[in-house]
Amino acid sequence: MTDNVKNAAPWATLIIITGMSGAGKTIAVQSLEDLGFFCVDNLPPVLIPKFAELIEQSNGKIGKVALVIDLRGREFFTALSESLNYIKEHFTIHCEILFLNANDGVLVQRYKESRRRHPLAPDGMPLDGIRLERKMLEELKNSATQVIDTSVMKPATLKARIISRFSHLESSMLSVNITSFGFKYGIPIDADLVFDVRFLPNPHYVDQLRPHTGQDSDVYDYVMKWPETQAFLTKLLDMLHFLIPQYRKEGKSQVIIGIGCTGGKHRSVAISEYLGKMLGASETESVSVSHRDADRDRH
């Protein structure tokens, strides 16, 4: 072990923000700035070890750093893996890779709305650049410690997710994110656990309940009143109370729990709200609840 490793601050954190162009890296870095991270945009990966030295030599003044690395760095991008391996060998800095993703159709629409050119297709159709970029980033995505799909996320939702994920890096608390969703819109790709509640009685078929969501007290009470709901929640909570400490024991810093019903508006929302209350009562976890699809059919 080198002297650098011996002297490095074990609480120091380095987050690499990367992913698809247009997937929300700007929001991510702004969110981490709000958490007190020292942030640098578009840094050549070959300079990452220099930042590791900066963290070490700051005597605790710089303990949290976030670096945005993307394909604007073209010729430097292939050096990312080498630089991260160097840090692992020479420093005791906690390093994570946050990869932001979105589907092709959403990215094309975002480029049209912003009237910006894709960095890999400056003179052509953005879809060509998006497909090339996705291919180039596939290996990096597979090695990421956190992948967030922003396809249906509002900026505020993405910011809340990132703050929830990284605000407890300096504690032993496990971040538990519970998100409701509709199966007809697809399963959240970043979910660690997915539970299907479509077997429960559906408020959609009750006229006065249909326009509301599971956050409304009438819909919530309707979902909760059934014996099968109570039996399911008893078994689910028993499982989660067992699993969560095991995840924490293995060093996992976040667990994303997806609760799905048909449209993501009634049953999954109510169940997610209930789980948030019950798991949030624990002093050993940080619990957040979000509803991906609850507002899709508000009109």
Side-chain angles (χ1 to χ4, degrees), residues 70-253:
D70 57 31
L71 287 177
R72 289 173 294 173
R74 304 278 177 99
E75 66 273 16
F76 301 104
F77 197 78
T78 55
L80 177 58
S81 178
E82 183 178 340
S83 295
L84 293 179
N85 287 334
Y86 181 86
I87 290 178
K88 291 179 181 179
E89 294 174 0
H90 294 81
F91 302 92
T92 57
I93 295 173
H94 174 73
C95 186
E96 295 200 27
I97 299 176
L98 170 62
F99 190 99
L100 299 177
N101 195 21
N103 65 52
D104 291 356
V106 168
L107 292 175
V108 169
Q109 184 62 33
R110 289 175 182 174
Y111 270 99
K112 287 183 178 180
E113 292 175 352
S114 66
R115 298 184 180 180
R116 297 176 57 221
R117 295 179 178 180
H118 191 280
L120 296 183
D123 300 319
M125 299 295 292
L127 184 58
D128 296 333
I130 290 169
R131 288 172 173 169
L132 176 59
E133 182 180 36
R134 192 178 300 282
K135 182 178 180 180
M136 295 174 67
L137 294 180
E138 184 64 27
E139 184 177 348
L140 179 59
K141 176 186 173 185
N142 293 335
S143 63
T145 54
Q146 173 75 20
V147 178
I148 298 180
D149 183 0
T150 69
S151 298
V152 296
M153 278 190 181
K154 297 178 181 178
T157 304
L158 175 57
K159 181 176 182 179
R161 171 70 67 83
I162 291 174
I163 290 176
S164 173
R165 169 64 181 82
F166 293 107
S167 62
H168 299 285
L169 282 175
E170 297 175 7
S171 75
S172 61
M173 297 181 75
L174 179 70
S175 176
V176 179
N177 300 122
I178 304 168
T179 181
S180 67
F181 69 93
F183 275 97
K184 70 179 183 178
Y185 302 117
I187 297 174
I189 65 172
D190 53 355
D192 299 295
L193 301 168
V194 174
F195 297 97
D196 185 348
V197 298
R198 288 177 291 185
F199 66 93
L200 298 176
N202 193 350
H204 176 80
Y205 298 111
V206 181
D207 291 342
Q208 64 268 32
L209 300 180
R210 186 178 302 122
H212 306 290
T213 75
Q215 291 178 292
D216 180 87
S217 59
D218 289 340
V219 176
Y220 181 90
D221 292 343
Y222 179 88
V223 173
M224 292 297 160
K225 74 177 183 178
W226 305 99
E228 52 264 55
T229 302
Q230 294 304 313
F232 169 72
L233 289 173
T234 298
K235 295 177 184 296
L236 179 56
L237 281 172
D238 185 55
M239 181 193 303
L240 294 177
H241 284 314
F242 169 77
L243 287 175
I244 289 174
Q246 305 307 314
Y247 288 136
R248 191 189 313 110
K249 182 179 178 181
E250 288 299 313
K252 197 170 178 64
S253 57

Side-chain angles (χ1 to χ4, degrees), residues 20-89:
M20 298 296 295
S21 300
K25 292 191 289 291
T26 298
I27 296 173
V29 74
Q30 291 173 346
S31 302
L32 291 173
E33 283 181 338
D34 291 343
L35 290 176
F37 279 77
F38 180 81
C39 300
V40 179
D41 188 16
N42 196 22
L43 182 79
V46 293
L47 297 181
I48 292 178
K50 293 296 183 181
F51 266 84
E53 294 178 12
L54 177 65
I55 295 172
E56 183 181 88
Q57 296 170 4
S58 69
N59 296 319
K61 295 181 180 178
I62 301 178
K64 300 187 295 183
V65 175
L67 307 177
V68 180
I69 309 292
D70 57 31
L71 287 177
R72 289 173 294 173
R74 304 278 177 99
E75 66 273 16
F76 301 104
F77 197 78
T78 55
L80 177 58
S81 178
E82 183 178 340
S83 295
L84 293 179
N85 287 334
Y86 181 86
I87 290 178
K88 291 179 181 179
E89 294 174 0

